Amino acid sequence: MADDEPILRQFLKSLDDVEGLKVNKNTLDSHLSILIRSLNAEAPATTQSLAYLILSKVIANARPKPAQATSQLQQAATINLVNLFAPPIQSRLSSAHPDSIYEAHSFFTALFHVDAQVASEIFGKDGVIESVMEASELFPGEEMDVAIASLLGQAGGQRACQAIMTSPDIISWLEDRVEASRAPPLRAAAAVALAKISKTRSDDVAGLPGENTEGASISSGDGNRDNKSLAQLMISLVKDSSKTVVSGAPAPSVEGTKAAQDAIECLAYLSTEPNIKEAMSNDAQFLKSLFSLAPSPRKHQTGPVPVVEIKDDTPSPRRTNLAFFYGIGVIIENITAYKPIMSEEEIQVDRLRKMARGGAATGRLEETRHANDSNQVLEENPAVRIRCSRLIKAGVSSALAGLSEVAGSDSVRRSIGRAMLNLVEDKEYRGKIIQSGGAKLLLKIIHASMPSSKVKMDPSANSPLPAAELSTKDLQLEAADLFAIQALAKLAITSSPILLFGPDASSSLDAVRPFSHLLRHSSSTLLQKFEALMALTNLASLGPQLSSRIAERETGCLLAVENLLLDDNVMVRRAATELLCNLVSSEQVWERYTGEVSDTQLEDDENRSSKVVASRIHILMALSDVDDAPTRLAASGALAMLTSSSNACRILLEEIDNGPTRILQILTGLISSEGVGVADSSSKPQLVHRGVVCVRNIFLNVPIHSPSVAKLVHEASRTGTVEKLVGIISSQEFRAENDIMVATAQALNWLRNHGIKFEKL
């Protein structure tokens, strides 16, 4: 079969310039025979990979391009592909030679992998399933039964095949092959089929009145095989398979065995069920065995992470194992998954569904309730946290790091990202994740997800993230790519960026880019935006270099932050305000909020106009007067810095309606700490400090001959500002707060110089 590779490579080259099924029919027919033969499980791994690639190319060429993909064109393409592949499959299934039948099963299984719609259409043709099952009787033996079970496993995951797959005869045949007397590869393949049939059926009936899909299983009628017993069988197979793994090997030899592959695939389906994921997490030997099946991570690596790609014209045996590694990732992801947070509408729908299920047959009502209650307990956060703890203790970080070495698979990478997000959800475990290299792992898979990461790399960067500037194209990340960034954001919120990214502030520069994606992406949830804000705030606290990078126009962060300043959610609004406060030290934000222009120009004249600047400062004024104390602190802190600019003070007084009155009312509220409750009493000195600094700055920055001077003096008396300032000087409360006392004295001195008389202090 290795002799077929040159022919296959030449055929692949001829397909590159062909659209649709325009290859000469005789040429296509002759190559199709070689293609089918090359997808046999006994063919060399490189030949199988090349054959898979050609099959994918033929189907892709026959399908319309995405821009032209109407339902009519797609259906026409499906018919053409069915007409192409059905005859050779059916002729081989009806052959009297077992090798031909075996080839048909192998090719049919591969076709399900590449185009399930076409394969399902052929599977449903008259006489096909009968021919598939008859082979077991005509040519009894493990090899044929494994091929049949593998094909049924692929069909079992397709809704279009469910009417056939739920036949009692097929279920009975599969259950018989799962029995202990059978060989492990056959038991595993049959178990995969049963698991997929059960899962697909559960998905189809979920939510229907009277239907309980929790832990649903399917049986031939008199069989007693349920999903939990299937899972236990697969767990045992994984344990047995892992015994042949050589510790420290770059890729375990067992990964290619049929039993291990099918066991992992079956558990990937079954691990969504609460009782099964609980059993897996509670089995230390199973976890050790599962993690040993992942590739060994690299021990040490410095400098930028190299980009390793599997090119289309270079087949590799590792590509055939991507599904195996993906299955491991999915199992870890499922075991650690928290129950999704539902909206109010989703909660109502779920409540109605449960009420409808309450009308189930009374004979199974109590059993259903007991199962649901048990599953609900296992899905609650405390139970999930315990499962996460078990996996961390068993070394899940090393397994995930090993899986990240698998190149060419977005699915594996995204599964790692979701698993890592689950593992860092609880703050208690974040330190352990960081200690085991979790931050570096996240940086690596985030780097791989960036669209331009394979184009530009900064060789001088300490962080493995690329230094390419953000562009509109960069935002073409899938929503699934955001989970890894969110996990990194959680770590950056509760840990020092220096601990995560490097020994100095410059090491954290490249972390700005992924967090800006998380903040701006159209698919980002409000929680993801909130956590991006918090992470960026932590980065900005490292100094002006980080603040300037975040505020750069190319990142798009500043506009996103400003849009969230007025969000309805208090926590999001607070986080946006705190980030903006930390960004005021950057030149870009300073110019944007003061109207001052240095060598670094603002984006355009409109952004430099006093009216636009006034509207921005006005928002900060409003946020300095809200009920939420942390938001007031952040907004007034920004104002305290901005009012050191004479131009910002002029805009405050002249460009905002009733500027002197409004600003003094708000600042007087800060000085008196109005609205600060007992719970926020610790913030009172900080609010007072910000208030008196703002008052002092405005007084000292207003030109002596400005018309605003008389208005300020008048309003300071009318709004109670003078009284509050005198109260600070007179009381003992702030005697130890030197900054407050100095700023207050300077403000009172200005008032005295402009004719305000007050009692002896």
Side-chain angles (χ1 to χ4, degrees):
M1 291 186 183
D3 295 339
D4 291 336
E5 284 194 27
I7 301 173
L8 291 174
R9 289 184 182 277
Q10 187 62 36
F11 183 42
L12 177 62
K13 187 176 180 181
S14 70
L15 290 172
D16 287 336
D17 300 322
V18 177
E19 291 185 5
L21 296 176
K22 296 180 180 179
V23 184
N24 179 278
K25 188 174 187 306
N26 292 331
T27 302
L28 187 60
D29 287 343
S30 63
H31 282 91
L32 195 55
S33 297
I34 299 174
L35 181 64
I36 293 173
R37 184 169 67 237
S38 300
L39 285 167
N40 192 308
E42 295 179 356
T46 54
T47 303
Q48 288 185 56
S49 294
L50 185 58
Y52 260 108
L53 187 57
I54 291 173
L55 180 61
S56 300
K57 188 72 174 177
V58 169
I59 291 174
N61 285 355
R63 291 287 184 190
K65 294 179 179 179
Q68 307 166 342
T70 63
S71 58
Q72 292 86 350
L73 287 176
Q74 287 284 22
Q75 184 58 33
T78 299
I79 293 172
N80 287 337
L81 289 167
V82 169
N83 291 337
L84 174 67
F85 295 129
I89 289 176
Q90 289 176 302
S91 66
R92 283 168 172 78
L93 286 176
S94 59
S95 171
H97 300 285
D99 289 345
S100 295
I101 297 175
Y102 190 62
E103 283 183 359
H105 289 158
S106 299
F107 178 72
F108 211 167
T109 301
L111 187 58
F112 266 107
H113 279 294
V114 179
D115 195 320
Q117 184 179 2
V118 171
S120 297
E121 290 279 349
I122 298 173
F123 193 79
K125 283 183 170 293
D126 291 341
V128 169
I129 187 60
E130 288 79 6
S131 297
V132 169
M133 301 307 296
E134 283 173 2
S136 180
E137 298 178 5
L138 295 174
F139 307 101
E142 179 189 337
E143 185 178 19
M144 184 62 73
D145 280 359
V146 168
I148 295 172
S150 298
L151 175 57
L152 295 179
Q154 293 303 313
Q158 304 301 318
R159 287 185 173 85
C161 302
Q162 280 298 289
I164 297 173
M165 292 303 300
T166 52
S167 160
D169 291 339
I170 292 179
I171 300 300
S172 178
W173 187 91
L174 289 170
E175 288 181 336
D176 179 70
R177 268 64 185 174
V178 174
E179 293 306 317
S181 59
R182 303 288 184 172
L186 178 55
R187 299 177 73 192
V192 169
L194 288 172
K196 286 187 175 182
I197 295 168
S198 175
K199 181 68 167 61
T200 306
R201 178 180 178 275
S202 297
D203 291 343
D204 285 341
V205 302
L208 293 179
E211 292 290 346
N212 172 44
T213 63
E214 301 287 348
S217 58
I218 192 163
S219 170
S220 60
D222 55 352
N224 57 4
R225 176 72 59 185
D226 60 18
N227 287 348
K228 191 169 184 179
S229 62
L230 281 179
Q232 288 297 338
L233 169 61
M234 296 301 102
I235 288 172
S236 298
L237 287 177
V238 170
K239 291 178 182 179
D240 292 340
S241 298
S242 68
K243 293 176 182 178
T244 64
V245 177
V246 179
S247 178
S253 59
V254 72
E255 68 188 36
T257 66
K258 184 63 177 169
Q261 291 177 345
D262 285 341
I264 291 298
E265 183 178 6
C266 183
L267 289 175
Y269 275 88
L270 296 178
S271 58
T272 59
E273 297 186 15
N275 60 341
I276 293 176
K277 66 175 75 174
E278 180 69 15
M280 287 193 289
S281 74
N282 213 15
D283 189 332
Q285 183 58 46
F286 165 73
L287 293 179
K288 181 180 179 181
S289 300
L290 177 69
F291 297 162
S292 71
L293 294 175
S296 298
R298 298 180 186 179
K299 295 293 183 184
H300 214 43
Q301 180 172 319
T302 58
V305 174
V307 177
V308 182
E309 296 182 85
I310 299 177
K311 297 182 180 179
D312 286 349
D313 59 349
T314 309
S316 166
R318 185 170 293 278
R319 179 175 290 279
T320 62
N321 296 318
L322 290 180
F324 177 75
F325 294 133
Y326 174 64
I328 296 174
V330 168
I331 292 170
I332 296 172
E333 176 192 342
N334 288 342
I335 293 175
T336 59
Y338 283 82
K339 187 165 59 175
I341 300 174
M342 294 190 293
S343 65
E344 286 298 325
E345 182 180 353
E346 289 170 333
I347 291 174
Q348 291 296 331
V349 171
D350 186 61
R351 185 177 292 119
L352 291 172
R353 181 181 292 120
K354 288 178 179 177
M355 290 173 61
R357 287 178 182 170
T362 55
R364 50 182 255 223
L365 184 56
E366 193 60 34
E367 179 184 351
T368 298
R369 284 177 177 169
H370 178 74
N372 288 341
D373 290 344
S374 176
N375 285 332
Q376 284 180 358
V377 170
L378 293 175
E379 289 288 69
E380 295 299 329
N381 288 354
V384 181
R385 281 195 289 268
I386 292 173
R387 288 199 291 270
C388 289
S389 176
R390 292 168 183 160
L391 266 68
I392 292 172
K393 184 178 180 180
V396 68
S397 295
S398 178
L400 292 174
L403 290 174
S404 71
E405 301 289 343
V406 181
S409 174
D410 290 340
S411 297
V412 173
R413 174 171 46 77
R414 289 165 181 164
S415 180
I416 297 171
R418 286 189 290 266
M420 287 296 293
L421 179 60
N422 295 336
L423 291 168
V424 303
E425 178 65 30
D426 195 299
K427 295 179 183 178
E428 180 183 347
Y429 303 140
R430 293 179 189 176
K432 296 178 182 178
I433 292 295
I434 294 172
Q435 290 173 6
S436 60
K440 292 180 180 178
L441 169 60
L442 286 168
L443 286 167
K444 179 179 179 179
I445 61 177
I446 290 169
H447 159 63
S449 71
M450 294 295 179
S452 59
S453 63
K454 299 173 185 177
V455 178
K456 185 175 180 179
M457 176 77 74
D458 181 2
S460 64
N462 292 322
S463 168
L465 289 177
E469 289 187 345
L470 187 67
S471 65
T472 303
K473 182 181 179 181
D474 283 333
L475 289 178
Q476 295 176 355
L477 288 173
E478 296 292 334
D481 292 319
L482 300 178
F483 294 118
I485 305 176
Q486 186 181 5
L488 186 63
K490 286 181 183 290
L491 295 180
I493 291 169
T494 54
S495 304
S496 167
I498 291 176
L499 177 64
L500 295 178
F501 306 119
D504 50 49
S506 62
S507 303
S508 301
L509 287 173
D510 287 324
V512 172
R513 183 170 174 239
F515 293 152
S516 71
H517 280 290
L518 190 63
L519 179 63
R520 298 177 57 210
H521 200 282
S522 59
S523 298
S524 289
T525 64
L526 196 60
L527 176 61
Q528 289 174 325
K529 291 179 181 179
F530 169 73
E531 291 179 330
L533 289 169
M534 295 285 285
L536 288 167
T537 300
N538 229 5
L539 290 180
S541 68
L542 295 180
Q545 188 180 16
L546 266 299
S547 297
S548 296
R549 173 63 67 88
I550 295 169
E552 285 177 357
R553 185 181 185 184
E554 288 78 8
T555 68
C557 286
L558 192 52
L559 288 175
V561 171
E562 289 177 336
N563 287 334
L564 293 172
L565 287 174
L566 300 177
D567 194 87
D568 292 336
N569 186 286
V570 174
M571 299 292 288
V572 172
R573 188 166 64 239
R574 178 196 299 175
T577 309
E578 289 174 342
L579 176 54
L580 184 61
C581 180
N582 279 5
L583 295 180
V584 169
S585 61
S586 69
E587 190 174 32
Q588 301 94 321
V589 176
W590 178 262
E591 293 177 355
R592 188 175 177 84
Y593 277 79
T594 64
E596 295 179 358
V597 180
S598 62
D599 294 337
T600 303
Q601 297 294 312
L602 292 174
E603 297 97 308
D604 49 54
D605 290 336
E606 181 182 350
N607 277 319
R608 293 196 296 269
S609 72
S610 294
K611 291 291 185 185
V612 175
V613 174
S615 68
R616 296 184 185 123
I617 299 179
H618 202 176
I619 292 174
L620 286 176
M621 285 173 53
L623 291 170
S624 299
D625 196 32
V626 297
D627 293 333
D628 183 59
T631 303
R632 293 180 78 186
L633 281 171
S636 57
L639 278 180
M641 289 182 279
L642 294 171
T643 51
S644 64
S645 161
S646 58
N647 195 56
C649 291
R650 179 191 66 78
I651 291 172
L652 267 173
L653 299 173
E654 298 178 6
E655 299 295 340
I656 296 176
D657 291 341
N658 298 316
T661 303
R662 183 66 183 130
I663 188 62
L664 286 177
Q665 285 176 339
I666 291 173
L667 297 180
T668 302
L670 289 172
I671 295 170
S672 62
S673 299
E674 293 175 355
V676 177
V678 175
D680 300 316
S681 58
S682 61
S683 64
K684 182 177 180 179
Q686 300 173 67
L687 290 172
V688 172
H689 183 216
R690 286 156 170 74
V692 296
V693 167
C694 288
V695 170
R696 186 271 313 273
N697 287 347
I698 291 172
F699 285 171
L700 297 183
N701 279 314
V702 64
I704 191 169
H705 299 298
S706 171
S708 297
V709 171
K711 184 71 170 173
L712 273 174
V713 172
H714 174 73
E715 290 301 322
S717 296
R718 192 184 70 81
T719 59
T721 306
V722 175
E723 178 186 350
K724 297 300 180 184
L725 292 172
V726 171
I728 289 174
I729 291 291
S730 303
S731 72
Q732 298 296 319
E733 185 177 0
F734 300 107
R735 286 290 182 184
E737 304 287 346
N738 188 60
D739 291 339
I740 293 177
M741 299 303 287
V742 170
T744 303
Q746 290 173 328
L748 286 172
N749 189 53
W750 185 89
L751 288 167
R752 189 195 302 274
N753 291 339
H754 287 83
I756 294 291
K757 298 184 183 297
F758 18 78
E759 298 177 3
K760 185 177 179 179
L761 301 179

